Amino acid sequence: MVRLARFGATAVAVASLTVLVAGTAGVRGQGPGGPAGGQAASKTAGPVSPAAQSATRPVDLGAPAPGARSPRNANYSIDARLDPARRTLGGREIITWRNITPSATSEVRLHLYWNAWKNTRSTWLQDAALGGQRGPLADRPERDWGWTTVTAVRLLGAGAAPPVDLTARGRYVAPDDGNTEDQTLLAVPLPTPVAPGDTVNLEVEWNARVPRTFARTGGVGRFFFLAQWFPKVAVLEPEGWNAHQFHAGTEFFSDYGVYDVRLRVPTGWLVGATGTQRSRQDNGDGTTTHRYLQEDVHDFAWTTSPDFVERRRRFTHRGLPAVDMRLLLQPEHVEQAERHFAATAAVLRFYGEWFGPYPYGHVTIVDPAWQSGAGGMEYPTLFTAGTRWLAPAGVTRPEGVTVHEAGHQFWYGIVGNNEFEHAWLDEGFNTFATARAQEAAGFPNFLEERYFGGFVPWVFDIPLSRHLEDGWDGYRLAAESDAQATPSWRYFPATGGSITYSKTALWLHTLERHLGWPTVQRILSTHFTRWQFRHPRPEDFFAVANDVSGQDLTWFFDEVYRGSNAFDYAVADLTTRPKRVRGYVDEGGRPTFVDRDIGRGIFETTVVVRREGEATFPVDVAVRFADGAVQRVRWDGRARWKALHFERPARAVSAEVDPDGVLLLDVNLTNNSRTLEPAAGRAATRWAVQWLGWVQDLLMTYAFFV
């Protein structure tokens, strides 16, 4: 653990952060008097009278100061030391936090995420059990577990005022499920409430045991990837603290600020971290301290290993700011360096053109160690990719995960939605944009199967379409598991990913086909511009979509967001026959029985379409005739069924509902069409070719070993 001379080091740290966040409200010292407040609910705050809000205080307390991109109301000066041999991490931080809400608060809440892996009684591991993961996680050996213990919390006074020790006041709270054994959220009552616009400085010291990777943070061998590693202040909203326990199916939420971090690691170990390295000091004891600084971000993650191979490239594209790309590779993946850079550059280009430019000027790509479990995760200005030793050129590995995690620099990093409650606002948006960017970049994307424990790849000559990349195959099995409007942390763990990632990507792609890409692109770019470095909610996006499209899309969001109904349209029946009459007709002044053609080559066709699911969407119905003509009819899709009648000089050959595949949320495509043409020959050919392919694979595998 790093311990510094308390008063001198504190003064330097606070002074440093004060300069970096200049323009914000002044620091207010907290005296020892006043009530010790703090409630156990997740949102705790008291009202402030209008008279208490002075005329000198800005109306928008969260408005960025001149020269800042974000409110910079949650700032950190951190000293930390990693001991790889003992797998321990000791730290001390100064949190400079400003209340930017119109309500006072009598406590501060701190996230202690690593306590999710302290024991099997944590809420995270109980959630994992619901998702079918409890067994392998709970059975880990003793050395794999991790935790965080806060050893001191002090409220720093202004000037020469002594600090107030708050350590004994802290208590664990469980606002989500009442689990008294969960220790991922710490409430610390304050001596006096923090008024709107006021700032407090908290000094926090802690010790941690680094786990073998849980949820993509931890260490394996000589590779360490450390995320959510420090006590982090939660987000105060006008309604109170938006502070949830750590759940297995959700991620994180925090305010923007400045991070000034000093990391002490073994000498010779490379370090990658949020921000840029400002200094490096050899301590003379076998350790080196690396200082990293980053402004206007809402998190800080880092990695270290003596085995990294470092590569650098510079992204440039007309109309967009240049970005320095730093890649930390595993030695066995060095030949894949350019593929990582190309994928990252594709995001910087296409996301930059579609949504808005990347503002930071640097990004670090981390290739995690084999079996580290740290791949595919995003943090500000840094992300982990993921690849294999054998990575065929026709498969988007490492491109796919690299594009997705680089894309999170935009959706999560710059637009900072609440991932506890509305994870789809970044994960879903980014899944949609990932598939689109891969397509725009022209990355080959063919079906891959892996054999022998996933080690040996085999690429089939079957290109994968965008809607499969959106996650249609997984979504259709979980379509009715939860309404998307349910807070993300309350999704059923086994299916929450399909609702968060896949459903959102599919309904955005559906909107693209319904409204057109130019309209959807303007919706997303407008949302990005309005809400960068802020915390949008779902209703904010819906307002942008209505505004930009010029349409009231409430009906659509009612179906895809507020409801959990499935979409399923079908062609229930198709008949076509010559126009005839059989029965009695009036001829010669009396009823006469007839059975004859009356259409002179005209055929009557009837198509019955059905809404098998509960959700509704307008769809086209296309009927193809033997003379090559195609007739299309728009159906609003609201009734349970509709019969369509046609009279044409040709027989109908087939009928199809949603022939253009606009409704990508349809969970059953096998009932979307009917044909009157014999298809046995085509089916036999298809199955024969597939069977021959299986035989060929078997023979090639046999030949490989013999």
Side-chain angles (χ1 to χ4, degrees), residues 52-75:
Q53 301 181 21
S54 67
T56 59
R57 189 168 289 146
V59 175
D60 183 2
L61 298 175
R69 295 187 176 99
S70 72
R72 295 188 182 179
N73 64 299
N75 308 286

Side-chain angles (χ1 to χ4, degrees), residues 25-54:
V27 176
R28 179 175 66 83
Q30 294 285 345
Q39 299 86 349
S42 63
K43 295 187 176 180
T44 60
V48 177
S49 65
Q53 301 181 21
S54 67

Side-chain angles (χ1 to χ4, degrees), residues 437-664:
Q438 288 184 158
E439 183 179 71
F443 294 140
N445 191 16
F446 292 89
L447 176 65
E448 175 197 37
E449 294 290 344
R450 285 188 169 264
Y451 305 96
F452 307 107
F455 184 73
V456 178
W458 186 263
V459 181
F460 296 86
D461 190 21
I462 302 174
L464 300 180
S465 62
R466 263 185 67 195
H467 80 276
L468 291 177
E469 290 294 297
D470 290 338
W472 176 81
D473 52 343
Y475 159 73
R476 65 190 182 90
L477 301 176
E480 298 176 292
S481 60
D482 278 296
Q484 197 170 65
T486 304
S488 302
W489 65 270
R490 293 180 57 193
Y491 289 169
F492 186 65
T495 54
S498 294
I499 303 301
T500 296
Y501 293 74
S502 305
K503 184 176 184 179
T504 313
L506 289 165
W507 65 247
L508 276 170
H509 199 168
T510 296
L511 269 186
E512 177 185 339
R513 295 188 175 190
H514 181 64
L515 301 176
W517 167 240
T519 299
V520 171
Q521 182 269 325
R522 283 187 290 109
I523 289 171
L524 291 172
S525 64
T526 302
H527 179 68
F528 182 87
T529 300
R530 288 185 187 177
W531 289 100
Q532 56 185 318
F533 305 107
R534 299 167 67 193
H535 302 314
R537 300 185 181 189
E539 54 267 26
D540 300 314
F541 173 73
F542 301 149
V544 169
N546 290 340
D547 181 28
V548 174
S549 69
Q551 301 182 30
D552 184 355
L553 296 171
T554 303
W555 63 272
F556 181 73
F557 297 124
D558 282 345
E559 296 288 6
V560 301
Y561 171 71
R562 299 180 183 93
S564 60
N565 294 327
F567 294 87
D568 184 13
Y569 286 94
V571 177
D573 194 22
L574 169 63
T575 60
T576 185
R577 57 178 61 89
K579 187 174 182 180
R580 297 179 59 83
V581 60
R582 176 180 170 81
Y584 285 90
V585 299
D586 292 329
E587 289 186 354
R590 62 186 180 84
T592 303
F593 184 85
V594 299
D595 183 5
R596 63 176 180 244
D597 290 342
I598 60 172
R600 298 180 180 179
I602 299 297
F603 290 83
E604 292 181 316
T605 296
T606 299
V607 180
V608 178
V609 287
R610 277 196 167 274
R611 177 168 60 84
E612 303 287 3
E614 299 302 318
T616 63
F617 188 85
V619 292
D620 285 349
V621 180
V623 184
R624 184 166 62 90
F625 295 89
D627 61 359
V630 177
Q631 190 161 346
R632 299 171 74 106
V633 176
R634 169 57 62 96
W635 177 35
D636 64 17
R638 295 177 183 173
R640 272 298 180 183
W641 64 274
K642 185 177 181 65
L644 305 174
H645 303 282
F646 306 88
E647 292 189 5
R648 293 187 56 84
R651 293 179 176 273
V653 174
S654 63
E656 185 174 5
V657 63
D658 191 27
D660 299 323
V662 173
L663 181 59
L664 294 171

